[in-house]
Amino acid sequence: MTTERIESSALRSMADAYQLWNRCGLFLDQYDSPREMGWRKYFEEKPGNFLACYDGERLIATCVMLDDGRKITIQRLAVESEYQRRGIAKTLLDAVEKEATNRGLNGVCALIEDTNEKSRTLALKAGFEEKPSARYFTKSIYR
């Protein structure tokens, strides 16, 4: 029997998060290098924007909430493969919706890669509306 629990807190280990994201096949780009301090700094400054699910001390799921003052954008929703299909991702989505309501925001959106059919299906079942006209653009300014 596992003792899964969800915490809204500062990330305990950036390395654990990167390893989980990698195992879950999440897109990692030049902004996501473990050597970079971007995510670490974000989590330290805004610890309430990170949801983590632990089984004991093991990180088994994550969800990053980016709050722009109007809505929360979900990124890095990941659940360890052996913990999938237990309702953890749906619980994380529910926690994000509750947080958006508590903050007085207007909605929640999710950034999902085209190839991530599991997340797309989850979002649709959770009541999200797909916007196929949206595209994600990126420009590196790293020097």
Side-chain angles (χ1 to χ4, degrees), residues 93-143:
L93 288 179
D94 291 345
V96 171
E97 285 187 38
K98 182 177 179 182
E99 188 60 31
T101 299
N102 290 344
R103 294 180 188 189
L105 303 177
N106 296 324
V108 176
C109 65
L111 179 62
I112 301 172
E113 296 294 321
D114 287 339
T115 59
N116 192 337
E117 193 58 36
K118 286 182 183 179
S119 290
R120 184 180 169 277
T121 299
L122 172 70
L124 291 171
K125 285 183 179 178
F128 285 74
E129 179 183 345
E130 187 170 8
K131 301 288 187 185
S133 61
R135 296 286 184 253
Y136 179 70
F137 292 83
T138 181
K139 180 179 179 182
S140 179
I141 58 171
Y142 181 72
R143 300 181 198 278

Side-chain angles (χ1 to χ4, degrees), residues 12-142:
R12 294 181 192 175
S13 168
M14 194 73 240
D16 288 348
Y18 279 113
Q19 290 169 9
L20 173 65
W21 298 341
N22 189 48
R23 285 191 303 274
C24 291
L26 291 183
F27 176 69
L28 297 175
D29 61 21
Q30 69 268 23
Y31 310 118
D32 294 322
S33 168
R35 294 177 301 276
E36 302 300 327
M37 298 299 290
W39 279 123
R40 186 182 322 276
K41 182 178 178 185
Y42 180 76
F43 294 141
E44 288 171 357
E45 292 175 357
K46 301 177 185 230
N49 285 356
F50 183 79
L51 298 175
C53 184
Y54 292 92
D55 182 2
E57 295 301 311
R58 181 181 177 200
L59 179 66
I60 61 169
T62 64
C63 182
V64 176
M65 299 182 290
L66 302 179
D67 178 348
D68 69 5
R70 301 171 301 132
K71 68 185 178 317
I72 289 177
T73 300
I74 297 169
Q75 291 192 356
R76 303 293 177 208
L77 177 60
V79 179
E80 196 73 73
S81 61
E82 65 262 32
Y83 291 87
Q84 292 179 4
R85 307 207 48 86
R86 296 186 188 186
I88 295 171
K90 177 67 168 89
T91 300
L92 288 168
L93 288 179
D94 291 345
V96 171
E97 285 187 38
K98 182 177 179 182
E99 188 60 31
T101 299
N102 290 344
R103 294 180 188 189
L105 303 177
N106 296 324
V108 176
C109 65
L111 179 62
I112 301 172
E113 296 294 321
D114 287 339
T115 59
N116 192 337
E117 193 58 36
K118 286 182 183 179
S119 290
R120 184 180 169 277
T121 299
L122 172 70
L124 291 171
K125 285 183 179 178
F128 285 74
E129 179 183 345
E130 187 170 8
K131 301 288 187 185
S133 61
R135 296 286 184 253
Y136 179 70
F137 292 83
T138 181
K139 180 179 179 182
S140 179
I141 58 171
Y142 181 72

